[in-house]
Amino acid sequence: QVQLVESGGGLVQPGGSLRLSCTTSGFTFSSEAMSWARQAPGEGLEWVSSTSFTGYTTHYADSVKGRFTMSRDNANNRLYLQMNNLSPDDTAVYYCVKGGESYYATGPRGQGTQVTVSS
């Protein structure tokens, strides 16, 4: 079955960086668009970014554009999210989602990894 496992979250100070990873199995990763989504405390799920199955095309939410970089390793079925210049507003549980932007709220996702930005 489809499995997605996120890792790399943690506590970081404002202005810091983190790199999230998502290890996938149970589907042909190299044929699927993928997304990252996040859910802040008390808020709904928010789309963060999506990439095409090749990784050549990537889109970002305005709130993270210029600070976050999404990438993928199709040889190893992994997805990444490099997050720089983090702010407290980025505090959330981050999810790796199978599917493009249209599926960020409905596609299969992992258990999430907590990112907390605080001094």
Side-chain angles (χ1 to χ4, degrees), residues 33-46:
M34 296 292 295
S35 299
W36 286 97
R38 67 185 181 183
Q39 187 164 22
E43 302 290 332
L45 195 64
E46 176 191 16

Side-chain angles (χ1 to χ4, degrees), residues 99-114:
E101 183 177 353
S102 299
Y103 298 95
Y104 83 92
T106 58
R109 60 181 184 252
Q111 83 291 344
T113 186
Q114 176 71 49

Side-chain angles (χ1 to χ4, degrees), residues 25-80:
S25 62
F27 65 101
T28 305
F29 178 77
S30 59
S31 297
E32 296 284 347
M34 296 292 295
S35 299
W36 286 97
R38 67 185 181 183
Q39 187 164 22
E43 302 290 332
L45 195 64
E46 176 191 16
W47 172 72
V48 173
S49 62
S50 297
T51 188
S52 62
F53 67 95
T54 61
Y56 291 159
T57 303
T58 306
H59 299 284
Y60 300 92
D62 287 345
S63 57
V64 307
K65 199 173 294 182
R67 300 187 298 120
F68 290 12
T69 302
M70 183 180 185
S71 61
R72 63 190 298 160
D73 178 355
N74 283 351
N76 292 294
N77 300 331
R78 289 181 178 171
L79 191 70
Y80 300 100

Side-chain angles (χ1 to χ4, degrees), residues 10-16 18 86-92 115-119:
L11 173 64
V12 63
Q13 292 187 340
L18 282 174
L86 286 160
S87 78
D89 288 343
D90 297 314
T91 294
V115 172
T116 302
V117 185
S118 175
S119 55

